Amino acid sequence: MERNSVSVALENQVLVAIIPQAQAQYFDFETKEWKPLPSMAQLTDATTCFCAEYAGNHLYVAAKKEEYFVMYRYDTGLDTVVRYNRDLCKIYDEKPAMVQCFDPELNEWKSKASTNSSHFGSSLFVVNGRLCIAGGTGFSGAPVEIYDEQNKKWSYVEQSRIPQNNLGAVEIEGRVYFIINNFPVDSGIRIPSGEKYPVPLDEWENLRKVNSNAVLCYLPVRNESLKAE
């Protein structure tokens, strides 16, 4: 079993937890602990956060301020937060019938085949260029599934080398991820194809101790910004 340098695997980005009305945190992969990130501005008026995505030099956070849906934009260079009008962000709690992906070349959404199982509160992400879904719950459990673009269908991913755990740990094509707060955290662990023994997970227990209201994302952060004030 191999453990790649996380800083290399994640292109020097830091796993950050954005917490409503509280100081942001980052996960130290060396000590396996969540630590405060005092250099990052707080979302002081957000009551709920739904998801976060980094694009360009900005971090976008879909959130709720009291009864209104809003979008926050954090400038990583200036350490400032701008809140957009609520009409720019609408979030609905609906049961999806199938997966849809956006095609930037055609500027349109395209439907994919339905998954084999129901997935509620799951995480949709890409591994080695393939679409995967993991985490959450379903009527018959929530197995890991991967999409075959050529055959237009989903298939289950066997988890024989992942022991029972409460970390949302899954293996996809030899990579170990932890689904924390519906976010896929790349552990940096790479399992050789011939490995038969389960992956030890005990040292990752602190990962799940993040605030349950936090949204996670990867963010480029300078080393000096990780030092607590």
Side-chain angles (χ1 to χ4, degrees), residues 171-222:
E171 176 201 347
I172 302 175
E173 298 193 348
R175 299 167 178 256
V176 177
Y177 293 84
F178 296 104
I179 311 301
I180 304 294
N181 288 13
N182 301 333
F183 183 84
V185 177
D186 187 347
S187 68
I189 298 174
R190 302 295 181 258
I191 306 176
S193 58
E195 180 68 65
K196 297 182 179 179
Y197 295 98
V199 178
L201 303 175
D202 293 345
E203 65 179 15
W204 294 92
E205 278 295 321
N206 285 335
L207 186 60
R208 69 183 181 91
K209 294 181 180 179
V210 67
N211 190 301
S212 60
N213 295 318
V215 291
L216 309 186
C217 64
Y218 289 116
L219 194 65
V221 178
R222 294 186 296 271

Short mmCIF file of all heavy atoms in Angstrom, two decimals, residues 171-222:
data_model
loop_
_atom_site.label_atom_id
_atom_site.label_comp_id
_atom_site.label_asym_id
_atom_site.label_seq_id
_atom_site.Cartn_x
_atom_site.Cartn_y
_atom_site.Cartn_z
N GLU A 171 -13.08 2.97 -1.75
CA GLU A 171 -11.96 2.80 -2.69
C GLU A 171 -12.50 2.83 -4.11
O GLU A 171 -13.47 2.13 -4.44
CB GLU A 171 -11.25 1.47 -2.45
CG GLU A 171 -10.14 1.21 -3.47
CD GLU A 171 -9.77 -0.26 -3.59
OE1 GLU A 171 -10.20 -1.05 -2.73
OE2 GLU A 171 -9.08 -0.61 -4.57
N ILE A 172 -11.88 3.63 -4.95
CA ILE A 172 -12.26 3.70 -6.36
C ILE A 172 -10.98 3.67 -7.18
O ILE A 172 -10.14 4.57 -7.07
CB ILE A 172 -13.06 4.98 -6.67
CG1 ILE A 172 -14.32 5.04 -5.80
CG2 ILE A 172 -13.43 5.03 -8.15
CD1 ILE A 172 -15.11 6.33 -5.96
N GLU A 173 -10.83 2.62 -7.97
CA GLU A 173 -9.66 2.44 -8.83
C GLU A 173 -8.35 2.62 -8.06
O GLU A 173 -7.43 3.32 -8.51
CB GLU A 173 -9.74 3.39 -10.03
CG GLU A 173 -10.95 3.11 -10.92
CD GLU A 173 -10.89 3.82 -12.25
OE1 GLU A 173 -10.04 4.70 -12.43
OE2 GLU A 173 -11.71 3.47 -13.13
N GLY A 174 -8.28 2.00 -6.88
CA GLY A 174 -7.06 2.01 -6.09
C GLY A 174 -6.84 3.27 -5.28
O GLY A 174 -5.83 3.38 -4.57
N ARG A 175 -7.76 4.21 -5.33
CA ARG A 175 -7.65 5.45 -4.56
C ARG A 175 -8.64 5.41 -3.39
O ARG A 175 -9.78 5.01 -3.57
CB ARG A 175 -7.95 6.67 -5.44
CG ARG A 175 -6.99 6.84 -6.61
CD ARG A 175 -7.52 7.86 -7.59
NE ARG A 175 -6.59 8.07 -8.69
CZ ARG A 175 -5.81 9.14 -8.82
NH1 ARG A 175 -5.87 10.11 -7.92
NH2 ARG A 175 -4.98 9.25 -9.84
N VAL A 176 -8.19 5.86 -2.23
CA VAL A 176 -9.06 5.86 -1.05
C VAL A 176 -9.55 7.28 -0.77
O VAL A 176 -8.76 8.21 -0.64
CB VAL A 176 -8.32 5.32 0.19
CG1 VAL A 176 -9.21 5.40 1.42
CG2 VAL A 176 -7.88 3.87 -0.06
N TYR A 177 -10.87 7.40 -0.72
CA TYR A 177 -11.51 8.68 -0.42
C TYR A 177 -12.33 8.55 0.86
O TYR A 177 -12.83 7.48 1.19
CB TYR A 177 -12.46 9.10 -1.56
CG TYR A 177 -11.76 9.44 -2.85
CD1 TYR A 177 -11.43 8.43 -3.75
CD2 TYR A 177 -11.45 10.75 -3.18
CE1 TYR A 177 -10.79 8.73 -4.95
CE2 TYR A 177 -10.81 11.05 -4.37
CZ TYR A 177 -10.48 10.04 -5.25
OH TYR A 177 -9.85 10.34 -6.43
N PHE A 178 -12.47 9.68 1.57
CA PHE A 178 -13.36 9.75 2.71
C PHE A 178 -14.48 10.74 2.36
O PHE A 178 -14.19 11.88 2.00
CB PHE A 178 -12.62 10.25 3.96
CG PHE A 178 -11.54 9.31 4.44
CD1 PHE A 178 -10.21 9.59 4.21
CD2 PHE A 178 -11.86 8.15 5.11
CE1 PHE A 178 -9.21 8.73 4.64
CE2 PHE A 178 -10.88 7.27 5.56
CZ PHE A 178 -9.55 7.57 5.31
N ILE A 179 -15.71 10.29 2.44
CA ILE A 179 -16.84 11.17 2.15
C ILE A 179 -17.24 11.86 3.45
O ILE A 179 -17.93 11.28 4.29
CB ILE A 179 -18.03 10.40 1.55
CG1 ILE A 179 -17.54 9.50 0.39
CG2 ILE A 179 -19.10 11.37 1.07
CD1 ILE A 179 -16.87 10.26 -0.74
N ILE A 180 -16.79 13.09 3.63
CA ILE A 180 -17.02 13.85 4.85
C ILE A 180 -17.93 15.04 4.53
O ILE A 180 -17.61 15.85 3.65
CB ILE A 180 -15.70 14.36 5.46
CG1 ILE A 180 -14.73 13.19 5.70
CG2 ILE A 180 -15.96 15.13 6.74
CD1 ILE A 180 -15.19 12.20 6.75
N ASN A 181 -19.05 15.14 5.22
CA ASN A 181 -20.02 16.22 4.94
C ASN A 181 -20.35 16.28 3.45
O ASN A 181 -20.41 17.36 2.84
CB ASN A 181 -19.49 17.57 5.42
CG ASN A 181 -19.48 17.69 6.93
OD1 ASN A 181 -19.64 16.70 7.64
ND2 ASN A 181 -19.28 18.89 7.44
N ASN A 182 -20.54 15.12 2.85
CA ASN A 182 -20.89 14.98 1.43
C ASN A 182 -19.79 15.45 0.49
O ASN A 182 -20.05 15.75 -0.68
CB ASN A 182 -22.19 15.74 1.10
CG ASN A 182 -23.37 15.25 1.92
OD1 ASN A 182 -23.40 14.11 2.36
ND2 ASN A 182 -24.33 16.13 2.14
N PHE A 183 -18.55 15.51 0.98
CA PHE A 183 -17.44 15.96 0.15
C PHE A 183 -16.39 14.86 0.06
O PHE A 183 -16.03 14.25 1.08
CB PHE A 183 -16.80 17.22 0.75
CG PHE A 183 -15.68 17.79 -0.09
CD1 PHE A 183 -15.97 18.64 -1.15
CD2 PHE A 183 -14.36 17.47 0.18
CE1 PHE A 183 -14.94 19.16 -1.93
CE2 PHE A 183 -13.33 17.99 -0.58
CZ PHE A 183 -13.62 18.84 -1.65
N PRO A 184 -15.88 14.57 -1.16
CA PRO A 184 -14.87 13.51 -1.31
C PRO A 184 -13.47 14.01 -0.96
O PRO A 184 -12.89 14.84 -1.67
CB PRO A 184 -14.97 13.16 -2.80
CG PRO A 184 -15.39 14.44 -3.46
CD PRO A 184 -16.29 15.14 -2.46
N VAL A 185 -12.92 13.51 0.13
CA VAL A 185 -11.57 13.89 0.56
C VAL A 185 -10.59 12.84 0.09
O VAL A 185 -10.70 11.66 0.45
CB VAL A 185 -11.50 14.02 2.10
CG1 VAL A 185 -10.08 14.35 2.53
CG2 VAL A 185 -12.48 15.08 2.60
N ASP A 186 -9.64 13.24 -0.73
CA ASP A 186 -8.62 12.31 -1.22
C ASP A 186 -7.58 12.10 -0.11
O ASP A 186 -6.89 13.03 0.28
CB ASP A 186 -7.95 12.90 -2.47
CG ASP A 186 -7.00 11.91 -3.14
OD1 ASP A 186 -6.66 10.88 -2.52
OD2 ASP A 186 -6.59 12.18 -4.28
N SER A 187 -7.48 10.88 0.38
CA SER A 187 -6.56 10.58 1.48
C SER A 187 -5.11 10.55 1.03
O SER A 187 -4.19 10.63 1.86
CB SER A 187 -6.91 9.23 2.10
OG SER A 187 -6.64 8.18 1.17
N GLY A 188 -4.89 10.42 -0.27
CA GLY A 188 -3.52 10.25 -0.76
C GLY A 188 -3.08 8.80 -0.75
O GLY A 188 -2.00 8.47 -1.25
N ILE A 189 -3.92 7.90 -0.21
CA ILE A 189 -3.59 6.48 -0.16
C ILE A 189 -3.85 5.86 -1.53
O ILE A 189 -4.92 6.04 -2.11
CB ILE A 189 -4.43 5.75 0.90
CG1 ILE A 189 -4.13 6.31 2.30
CG2 ILE A 189 -4.16 4.25 0.87
CD1 ILE A 189 -5.01 5.74 3.38
N ARG A 190 -2.88 5.10 -2.04
CA ARG A 190 -3.02 4.40 -3.30
C ARG A 190 -2.78 2.92 -3.06
O ARG A 190 -1.74 2.53 -2.52
CB ARG A 190 -2.02 4.94 -4.33
CG ARG A 190 -2.17 6.44 -4.60
CD ARG A 190 -3.50 6.76 -5.25
NE ARG A 190 -3.65 8.19 -5.53
CZ ARG A 190 -4.37 9.03 -4.79
NH1 ARG A 190 -4.98 8.57 -3.70
NH2 ARG A 190 -4.47 10.29 -5.11
N ILE A 191 -3.74 2.09 -3.43
CA ILE A 191 -3.66 0.65 -3.17
C ILE A 191 -3.21 -0.08 -4.43
O ILE A 191 -3.88 0.01 -5.47
CB ILE A 191 -5.03 0.11 -2.72
CG1 ILE A 191 -5.56 0.91 -1.52
CG2 ILE A 191 -4.92 -1.36 -2.37
CD1 ILE A 191 -6.94 0.49 -1.08
N PRO A 192 -2.10 -0.81 -4.38
CA PRO A 192 -1.67 -1.59 -5.55
C PRO A 192 -2.72 -2.62 -5.92
O PRO A 192 -3.46 -3.12 -5.07
CB PRO A 192 -0.37 -2.25 -5.06
CG PRO A 192 0.09 -1.40 -3.92
CD PRO A 192 -1.16 -0.90 -3.26
N SER A 193 -2.78 -2.97 -7.18
CA SER A 193 -3.81 -3.89 -7.66
C SER A 193 -3.75 -5.27 -7.00
O SER A 193 -4.76 -5.93 -6.86
CB SER A 193 -3.69 -4.05 -9.18
OG SER A 193 -2.40 -4.52 -9.53
N GLY A 194 -2.57 -5.71 -6.58
CA GLY A 194 -2.45 -7.03 -5.98
C GLY A 194 -2.66 -7.06 -4.48
O GLY A 194 -2.65 -8.14 -3.87
N GLU A 195 -2.88 -5.91 -3.86
CA GLU A 195 -3.05 -5.84 -2.41
C GLU A 195 -4.37 -6.51 -2.00
O GLU A 195 -5.42 -6.26 -2.58
CB GLU A 195 -3.06 -4.38 -1.96
CG GLU A 195 -3.25 -4.18 -0.47
CD GLU A 195 -2.06 -4.66 0.33
OE1 GLU A 195 -0.97 -4.09 0.17
OE2 GLU A 195 -2.24 -5.64 1.08
N LYS A 196 -4.29 -7.38 -0.98
CA LYS A 196 -5.49 -8.10 -0.53
C LYS A 196 -5.94 -7.70 0.87
O LYS A 196 -7.04 -8.03 1.28
CB LYS A 196 -5.23 -9.61 -0.56
CG LYS A 196 -4.95 -10.16 -1.96
CD LYS A 196 -4.75 -11.66 -1.92
CE LYS A 196 -4.49 -12.21 -3.32
NZ LYS A 196 -4.27 -13.68 -3.30
N TYR A 197 -5.09 -7.00 1.61
CA TYR A 197 -5.42 -6.69 2.99
C TYR A 197 -6.21 -5.39 3.09
O TYR A 197 -6.02 -4.46 2.29
CB TYR A 197 -4.14 -6.59 3.84
CG TYR A 197 -3.41 -7.91 3.94
CD1 TYR A 197 -2.32 -8.18 3.12
CD2 TYR A 197 -3.82 -8.88 4.85
CE1 TYR A 197 -1.65 -9.40 3.20
CE2 TYR A 197 -3.16 -10.10 4.94
CZ TYR A 197 -2.08 -10.35 4.11
OH TYR A 197 -1.42 -11.56 4.18
N PRO A 198 -7.10 -5.29 4.08
CA PRO A 198 -7.89 -4.06 4.27
C PRO A 198 -7.01 -2.86 4.59
O PRO A 198 -5.92 -2.99 5.14
CB PRO A 198 -8.80 -4.41 5.46
CG PRO A 198 -8.83 -5.90 5.50
CD PRO A 198 -7.48 -6.34 5.03
N VAL A 199 -7.51 -1.69 4.25
CA VAL A 199 -6.78 -0.45 4.51
C VAL A 199 -6.96 -0.05 5.97
O VAL A 199 -8.10 0.03 6.46
CB VAL A 199 -7.31 0.68 3.60
CG1 VAL A 199 -6.58 1.99 3.90
CG2 VAL A 199 -7.15 0.30 2.14
N PRO A 200 -5.89 0.21 6.72
CA PRO A 200 -6.04 0.69 8.11
C PRO A 200 -6.55 2.12 8.13
O PRO A 200 -6.01 2.99 7.46
CB PRO A 200 -4.61 0.59 8.66
CG PRO A 200 -3.72 0.69 7.46
CD PRO A 200 -4.47 0.04 6.34
N LEU A 201 -7.60 2.35 8.90
CA LEU A 201 -8.25 3.66 8.89
C LEU A 201 -8.22 4.38 10.24
O LEU A 201 -8.66 5.52 10.34
CB LEU A 201 -9.72 3.51 8.45
CG LEU A 201 -9.95 2.86 7.08
CD1 LEU A 201 -11.45 2.68 6.86
CD2 LEU A 201 -9.34 3.71 5.97
N ASP A 202 -7.70 3.74 11.27
CA ASP A 202 -7.77 4.29 12.62
C ASP A 202 -7.16 5.69 12.74
O ASP A 202 -7.67 6.55 13.46
CB ASP A 202 -7.07 3.36 13.62
CG ASP A 202 -7.82 2.04 13.78
OD1 ASP A 202 -8.99 1.98 13.36
OD2 ASP A 202 -7.23 1.08 14.31
N GLU A 203 -6.07 5.94 12.03
CA GLU A 203 -5.38 7.22 12.18
C GLU A 203 -6.15 8.39 11.55
O GLU A 203 -5.77 9.54 11.73
CB GLU A 203 -3.99 7.15 11.57
CG GLU A 203 -3.97 6.93 10.06
CD GLU A 203 -2.56 6.88 9.50
OE1 GLU A 203 -1.61 6.73 10.29
OE2 GLU A 203 -2.42 7.00 8.28
N TRP A 204 -7.25 8.09 10.85
CA TRP A 204 -8.03 9.14 10.19
C TRP A 204 -9.27 9.54 10.97
O TRP A 204 -10.12 10.28 10.47
CB TRP A 204 -8.44 8.67 8.79
CG TRP A 204 -7.28 8.50 7.86
CD1 TRP A 204 -6.57 7.36 7.64
CD2 TRP A 204 -6.69 9.50 7.03
NE1 TRP A 204 -5.57 7.58 6.72
CE2 TRP A 204 -5.62 8.89 6.33
CE3 TRP A 204 -6.95 10.85 6.81
CZ2 TRP A 204 -4.83 9.58 5.43
CZ3 TRP A 204 -6.17 11.54 5.91
CH2 TRP A 204 -5.11 10.92 5.23
N GLU A 205 -9.41 9.07 12.20
CA GLU A 205 -10.62 9.33 12.98
C GLU A 205 -10.91 10.82 13.15
O GLU A 205 -12.06 11.25 13.19
CB GLU A 205 -10.50 8.67 14.36
CG GLU A 205 -10.85 7.19 14.38
CD GLU A 205 -12.30 6.92 14.04
OE1 GLU A 205 -13.17 7.69 14.50
OE2 GLU A 205 -12.57 5.95 13.32
N ASN A 206 -9.87 11.64 13.26
CA ASN A 206 -10.08 13.08 13.47
C ASN A 206 -10.72 13.77 12.27
O ASN A 206 -11.29 14.86 12.41
CB ASN A 206 -8.75 13.77 13.80
CG ASN A 206 -8.28 13.48 15.21
OD1 ASN A 206 -9.08 13.18 16.09
ND2 ASN A 206 -6.97 13.55 15.43
N LEU A 207 -10.62 13.15 11.11
CA LEU A 207 -11.16 13.78 9.91
C LEU A 207 -12.66 14.02 10.03
O LEU A 207 -13.18 15.04 9.57
CB LEU A 207 -10.85 12.91 8.69
CG LEU A 207 -11.21 13.49 7.32
CD1 LEU A 207 -10.47 14.79 7.07
CD2 LEU A 207 -10.89 12.48 6.22
N ARG A 208 -13.37 13.10 10.66
CA ARG A 208 -14.82 13.23 10.76
C ARG A 208 -15.26 14.16 11.89
O ARG A 208 -16.45 14.40 12.08
CB ARG A 208 -15.46 11.85 10.96
CG ARG A 208 -15.18 11.21 12.31
CD ARG A 208 -15.79 9.82 12.38
NE ARG A 208 -15.56 9.17 13.66
CZ ARG A 208 -16.39 9.26 14.69
NH1 ARG A 208 -17.50 9.96 14.59
NH2 ARG A 208 -16.12 8.63 15.82
N LYS A 209 -14.30 14.70 12.66
CA LYS A 209 -14.63 15.57 13.78
C LYS A 209 -14.84 17.03 13.37
O LYS A 209 -14.93 17.91 14.21
CB LYS A 209 -13.54 15.47 14.84
CG LYS A 209 -13.45 14.10 15.50
CD LYS A 209 -12.37 14.04 16.56
CE LYS A 209 -12.30 12.65 17.19
NZ LYS A 209 -11.24 12.58 18.23
N VAL A 210 -14.92 17.28 12.09
CA VAL A 210 -15.19 18.63 11.62
C VAL A 210 -16.64 19.00 11.93
O VAL A 210 -17.50 18.11 12.08
CB VAL A 210 -14.92 18.72 10.10
CG1 VAL A 210 -15.92 17.89 9.32
CG2 VAL A 210 -14.92 20.16 9.62
N ASN A 211 -16.91 20.29 12.05
CA ASN A 211 -18.26 20.77 12.31
C ASN A 211 -19.24 20.21 11.27
O ASN A 211 -18.98 20.27 10.07
CB ASN A 211 -18.26 22.30 12.27
CG ASN A 211 -19.56 22.90 12.76
OD1 ASN A 211 -20.63 22.64 12.21
ND2 ASN A 211 -19.48 23.74 13.78
N SER A 212 -20.35 19.67 11.73
CA SER A 212 -21.31 19.04 10.81
C SER A 212 -21.97 20.06 9.87
O SER A 212 -22.54 19.68 8.85
CB SER A 212 -22.39 18.30 11.60
OG SER A 212 -23.10 19.20 12.45
N ASN A 213 -21.91 21.35 10.21
CA ASN A 213 -22.49 22.40 9.36
C ASN A 213 -21.49 22.95 8.35
O ASN A 213 -21.83 23.84 7.56
CB ASN A 213 -23.01 23.55 10.22
CG ASN A 213 -24.17 23.13 11.11
OD1 ASN A 213 -25.06 22.41 10.66
ND2 ASN A 213 -24.16 23.57 12.36
N ALA A 214 -20.26 22.45 8.38
CA ALA A 214 -19.22 22.98 7.49
C ALA A 214 -19.36 22.41 6.09
O ALA A 214 -19.83 21.29 5.89
CB ALA A 214 -17.84 22.64 8.06
N VAL A 215 -18.94 23.20 5.10
CA VAL A 215 -18.79 22.71 3.74
C VAL A 215 -17.30 22.66 3.44
O VAL A 215 -16.54 23.55 3.85
CB VAL A 215 -19.53 23.59 2.71
CG1 VAL A 215 -21.03 23.46 2.88
CG2 VAL A 215 -19.10 25.04 2.81
N LEU A 216 -16.87 21.62 2.75
CA LEU A 216 -15.45 21.41 2.50
C LEU A 216 -15.08 21.73 1.06
O LEU A 216 -15.90 21.61 0.15
CB LEU A 216 -15.07 19.97 2.83
CG LEU A 216 -15.49 19.42 4.20
CD1 LEU A 216 -14.90 18.03 4.41
CD2 LEU A 216 -15.08 20.35 5.32
N CYS A 217 -13.83 22.10 0.87
CA CYS A 217 -13.31 22.36 -0.47
C CYS A 217 -11.79 22.37 -0.40
O CYS A 217 -11.21 22.44 0.68
CB CYS A 217 -13.83 23.70 -1.02
SG CYS A 217 -13.25 25.13 -0.07
N TYR A 218 -11.17 22.28 -1.56
CA TYR A 218 -9.72 22.44 -1.64
C TYR A 218 -9.41 23.87 -2.06
O TYR A 218 -10.03 24.41 -2.98
CB TYR A 218 -9.12 21.46 -2.66
CG TYR A 218 -9.15 20.03 -2.18
CD1 TYR A 218 -9.91 19.06 -2.83
CD2 TYR A 218 -8.41 19.64 -1.06
CE1 TYR A 218 -9.94 17.75 -2.39
CE2 TYR A 218 -8.43 18.33 -0.61
CZ TYR A 218 -9.19 17.39 -1.28
OH TYR A 218 -9.23 16.09 -0.84
N LEU A 219 -8.46 24.48 -1.37
CA LEU A 219 -8.16 25.88 -1.60
C LEU A 219 -6.65 26.10 -1.53
O LEU A 219 -6.00 25.59 -0.62
CB LEU A 219 -8.85 26.72 -0.52
CG LEU A 219 -8.97 28.23 -0.72
CD1 LEU A 219 -9.85 28.54 -1.92
CD2 LEU A 219 -9.55 28.88 0.53
N PRO A 220 -6.07 26.83 -2.49
CA PRO A 220 -4.64 27.12 -2.40
C PRO A 220 -4.39 28.12 -1.27
O PRO A 220 -4.95 29.21 -1.27
CB PRO A 220 -4.32 27.73 -3.77
CG PRO A 220 -5.61 28.28 -4.26
CD PRO A 220 -6.68 27.37 -3.72
N VAL A 221 -3.58 27.73 -0.32
CA VAL A 221 -3.30 28.58 0.85
C VAL A 221 -1.79 28.63 1.06
O VAL A 221 -1.12 27.59 1.05
CB VAL A 221 -3.98 28.03 2.12
CG1 VAL A 221 -3.65 28.90 3.33
CG2 VAL A 221 -5.49 27.96 1.93
N ARG A 222 -1.25 29.82 1.25
CA ARG A 222 0.18 29.96 1.51
C ARG A 222 0.53 29.37 2.87
O ARG A 222 -0.25 29.44 3.82
CB ARG A 222 0.59 31.43 1.46
CG ARG A 222 0.46 32.06 0.08
CD ARG A 222 1.03 33.47 0.08
NE ARG A 222 0.27 34.34 0.96
CZ ARG A 222 -0.79 35.04 0.58
NH1 ARG A 222 -1.21 34.97 -0.66
NH2 ARG A 222 -1.43 35.81 1.45
#
